[in-house]
Amino acid sequence: MGANEHGVCIGNEAVWGREEVCDEEALLGMDLVRLGLERADTAEKALNVIVDLLEKYGQGGNCSEGRMVFSYHNSFLIADRNEAWILETAGKYWAAEKVQEGVRNISNQLSITTKIDREHPDMRNYAKQKGWWDGKKEFDFAATYSYLDTAKMKISPGRYCEGYRLLNKHKGNITFETMMGILRDKPSGINMEGEFLTTASMVSVLPQDSSLPCIHFFTGTPDPERSVFKPFIFVPNISQLLDTSSPTFGLEDPVKKKPRFQHKPDRRHPLYQKHQQALEVIDKKEEKAKTLLDNMRKLEKELFKEIESILQNKHLDGDKIVNLFPQCVKDEIRIYKSNISP
């Protein structure tokens, strides 16, 4: 997931279906997110970038940095100040739905059904050739390209259904704090635990009023329930994000050598490391846990007040904004250090 200076945001989920996943190296969903953000200044242009690259290079390869092979196809949620799209793929084939009302989410399943606003030109013919669609009944992308009963899609248990339910519950009154609450929700499975831990979380505010800045909140750490959402605003001369930049390994990086992923380097950035150290301490000490979490929430609330002020008063202090995110990170690290020390 990520955002760019034009207010384009892209989120990405792994999906599987009838079309076989390619283990050979091609573009990963994460590559497509980065390239879409690098090259597009609107949501639809980002969609165009992704589907063009998909046609030219395909998708596939190991998405896990390790010897276990973990491959999948991809779905994308793409938004800017003015519009939003869902893009879902199966190999080189794809369908896109323009979001025009209500709420919309993606998860680890295809979710575009009969409302298809753009599509791969051969998508339907390919499905007919494979025997997945008879060419007569109304075309349903998710039902055709996966094994879903789409009639029950919004009522069956699972992350997609739970995400839709939580969004629908707050429809018409969704704030950035509402979204953070949803991302922190563990009973729904949205905030994941165990082997597939939620690695980091992001919430973006994209005002239609172009005089207001787009504001992106990032945790940069796993488990949003025990993380701080910190605001980032794109402005010129932004301070370097040293405490949230992963180390680089140059030509020695195992991702650049064949065979790939023969060992796994420590890619944790300084904030991530301090966050993990603090959590190890609080998992053992209940009293320290409460103090730490209270201090984290206090920091977050102060940041939220600052952002509300910016949105209401339409005033940006450029000198302060260039250091906004790096300073938040330093304040967060200070909280962790005070709890790590004996």
Side-chain angles (χ1 to χ4, degrees), residues 52-287:
D52 288 349
L53 289 166
L54 201 57
E55 182 69 28
K56 190 171 181 181
Y57 300 105
Q59 63 179 321
N62 192 2
C63 305
S64 169
E65 188 170 41
R67 299 195 182 194
M68 178 188 81
V69 176
F70 182 58
S71 302
Y72 48 77
H73 295 147
N74 295 276
S75 69
F76 304 89
L77 197 162
I78 311 170
D80 62 24
R81 291 178 185 266
N82 301 306
E83 63 181 18
W85 288 83
I86 305 296
L87 169 63
E88 297 187 330
T89 69
K92 72 172 186 175
Y93 302 99
W94 56 271
E97 172 191 339
K98 190 172 184 180
V99 182
Q100 291 171 305
E101 61 180 5
V103 296
R104 193 67 167 80
N105 63 308
I106 61 173
S107 191
N108 302 114
Q109 63 183 63
L110 296 178
S111 63
I112 294 175
T113 56
T114 56
K115 185 185 181 303
I116 301 172
D117 297 297
R118 290 184 55 186
E119 63 188 75
H120 187 285
D122 292 326
M123 178 191 74
R124 297 183 194 227
N125 280 337
Y126 183 73
K128 272 175 79 174
Q129 289 167 20
K130 298 289 280 188
W132 301 338
W133 179 55
D134 61 10
K136 295 173 185 174
K137 66 181 178 185
E138 185 177 24
F139 186 84
D140 179 323
F141 180 71
T144 303
Y145 274 84
S146 69
Y147 302 96
L148 286 170
D149 178 350
T150 53
K152 297 178 180 175
M153 194 164 66
K154 289 178 180 173
I155 56 170
S156 57
R159 294 176 78 227
Y160 173 77
C161 176
E162 289 298 312
Y164 179 80
R165 182 183 63 77
L166 289 167
L167 285 169
N168 211 41
K169 178 181 172 184
H170 299 284
K171 187 167 68 174
N173 191 32
I174 294 176
T175 66
F176 58 79
E177 290 184 80
T178 309
M179 290 303 301
M180 291 167 191
I182 291 172
L183 292 179
R184 284 173 164 148
D185 193 271
K186 286 189 174 174
S188 66
I190 291 169
N191 183 6
M192 295 176 73
E193 299 181 276
E195 187 182 358
F196 288 98
L197 177 72
T198 293
T199 311
S201 303
M202 166 184 157
V203 171
S204 292
V205 182
L206 309 176
Q208 289 186 303
D209 180 350
S210 60
S211 68
L212 291 170
C214 294
I215 299 167
H216 312 282
F217 293 90
F218 299 97
T219 60
T221 53
D223 187 356
E225 190 182 25
R226 302 197 296 179
S227 291
V228 176
F229 279 94
K230 300 165 285 296
F232 177 93
I233 299 172
F234 282 96
V235 289
N237 307 312
I238 196 91
S239 294
Q240 281 190 291
L241 310 180
L242 300 176
D243 289 322
T244 46
S245 294
S246 294
T248 55
F249 301 93
L251 295 175
E252 294 305 307
D253 195 318
V255 78
K256 294 181 179 176
K257 292 180 170 183
K258 290 187 178 181
R260 307 214 193 270
F261 311 125
Q262 294 306 292
H263 70 275
K264 189 174 180 178
D266 187 354
R267 298 191 188 277
R268 296 174 304 159
H269 52 65
L271 172 64
Y272 197 111
Q273 291 183 8
K274 291 299 177 194
H275 178 262
Q276 283 199 310
Q277 289 169 15
L279 292 191
E280 284 168 13
V281 170
I282 67 170
D283 281 339
K284 298 169 189 167
K285 299 181 181 178
E286 198 173 315
E287 198 173 310

Side-chain angles (χ1 to χ4, degrees), residues 285-298:
K285 299 181 181 178
E286 198 173 315
E287 198 173 310
K288 270 200 170 183
K290 186 179 185 318
T291 304
L292 175 66
L293 291 168
D294 285 349
N295 287 337
M296 289 165 70
R297 290 292 164 267
K298 185 180 173 187

